Amino acid sequence: MDHATADVLYGFGMAKVCVFCGGTPLTKEHVLPRWLKVALDPRVQRHRYIRLSVDAVRHHDAPPLNEQVKVVCSDCNSGWMNQLEENVRYFLPDLIRGNLCTLDAEAQRALAAWSLKTMLMFQHTHPADARGVIPAGDFTSFHETCEPTRSMLGRLGFMNYPPDDAVPLVDTQCQGYSADGVRRTAWITTLKIGCMVVQIIRAPDVAAGKRLAPFDFLPSLRPIWPTNELIEWPLPAAIPYEMMPALAHPDDLDLTIVPA
Ligand SMILES: [Zn+2]
């Protein structure tokens, strides 16, 4: 089957107004941009997409670059969302293919923002009744700053490029957590494309005067939000794909809150 031909538009419980700003008219948005085609080995096609929540596990398989959602307005789509694409375009193919490159703080901020946007769009490829891991308020707050918030952490991991379809080329996962046992107040998204694994972790709101302690440096994982350190890519160690479940949906968030 030629995955490069037909687009798949997800219309499950389609939003009437933009999920970011409430505006109209709504436009179609590719969840992963077409320009990423240059970074993907055409021999590896498998796209596994699993979404988890506290009470349900749902997943679907789909070709990587054909998924579209119709949940954002034309102003958002052609404005700040397009700018987030432009901000990562010069280095994202190298991250995905595991080519040598250096990410400075600006590139890491851009990567964290692009990854969050992409995962917010992926959430809308699911039926409305299966959504809810990422609450509506996190979409509107993202629209205000076009960046992750201070209640979020981001990190970048390295996996070897899949040699064949034994390992998915694209794998996205989202796990919700409830701090009080009822409301979902926290989540982890994991976006793997080729060699690149980006995680955005949303903690319960961090009080004023406090902040989240960044993740430790590891041979296969580096903080990207917040960050000041250069990242030399590829990282010196690869995370085995078998570690994906432990990485993407750990039993608890294991976050540390420190004075700001
Ligand atoms: Zn909008």
Side-chain angles (χ1 to χ4, degrees):
M1 189 168 73
D2 181 5
H3 288 307
T5 50
D7 278 335
V8 182
L9 175 66
Y10 289 96
F12 304 118
M14 217 183 281
K16 301 280 191 298
V17 297
C18 176
V19 293
F20 291 116
C21 74
T24 54
L26 296 182
T27 51
K28 292 179 191 172
E29 158 85 351
H30 276 98
V31 178
L32 289 179
R34 288 282 198 185
W35 59 263
L36 272 185
K37 193 162 193 240
V38 297
L40 303 181
D41 184 338
R43 291 167 300 174
V44 183
Q45 297 257 329
R46 188 169 158 205
H47 175 203
R48 174 164 170 254
Y49 177 23
I50 295 190
R51 168 197 173 275
L52 299 118
S53 70
V54 276
D55 52 14
V57 179
R58 297 166 194 262
H59 60 90
H60 70 256
D61 287 273
L65 299 182
N66 298 63
E67 291 187 284
Q68 290 186 306
V69 290
K70 194 173 180 182
V71 294
V72 299
C73 72
S74 54
D75 283 353
C76 285
N77 201 345
S78 61
W80 64 274
M81 294 177 75
N82 185 56
Q83 186 60 50
L84 293 185
E85 295 289 328
E86 292 300 321
N87 293 349
V88 299
R89 203 165 173 153
Y90 71 97
F91 63 81
L92 204 62
D94 286 334
L95 286 185
I96 290 169
R97 289 311 291 259
N99 296 336
L100 289 174
C101 63
T102 302
L103 298 185
D104 61 13
E106 186 185 349
Q108 292 170 46
R109 292 171 76 96
L111 178 62
W114 179 85
S115 300
L116 178 54
K117 171 187 84 74
T118 300
M119 291 305 294
L120 294 178
M121 290 297 95
F122 262 121
Q123 175 159 276
H124 281 278
T125 63
H126 286 291
D129 67 351
R131 263 179 244 141
V133 168
I134 303 178
D138 286 343
F139 285 76
T140 48
S141 64
F142 183 52
H143 174 241
E144 286 163 17
T145 60
C146 304
E147 288 192 316
T149 69
R150 50 188 293 278
S151 299
M152 295 179 188
L153 292 176
R155 61 180 174 178
L156 170 66
F158 175 70
M159 286 189 183
N160 289 316
Y161 199 89
D164 52 41
D165 281 340
V167 171
L169 182 61
V170 178
D171 191 354
T172 60
Q173 307 205 13
C174 187
Q175 167 75 55
Y177 293 85
S178 52
D180 55 11
V182 183
R183 285 177 308 125
R184 290 170 199 169
T185 51
W187 43 261
I188 297 180
T189 62
T190 307
L191 169 63
K192 170 196 141 52
I193 311 173
C195 298
M196 178 187 84
V197 183
V198 180
Q199 288 195 295
I200 302 291
I201 293 89
R202 164 65 151 107
D205 287 335
V206 175
K210 308 271 190 187
R211 67 181 176 88
L212 291 167
F215 289 113
D216 292 335
F217 275 55
L218 296 171
S220 59
L221 276 167
R222 296 294 161 84
I224 58 169
W225 180 273
T227 182
N228 287 305
E229 307 286 337
L230 289 179
I231 295 177
E232 300 292 344
W233 190 258
L235 298 180
I239 303 166
Y241 182 73
E242 294 68 36
M243 291 292 293
M244 189 74 173
L247 190 69
H249 39 101
D251 291 337
D252 59 66
L253 290 172
D254 196 24
L255 299 172
T256 307
I257 294 175
V258 295

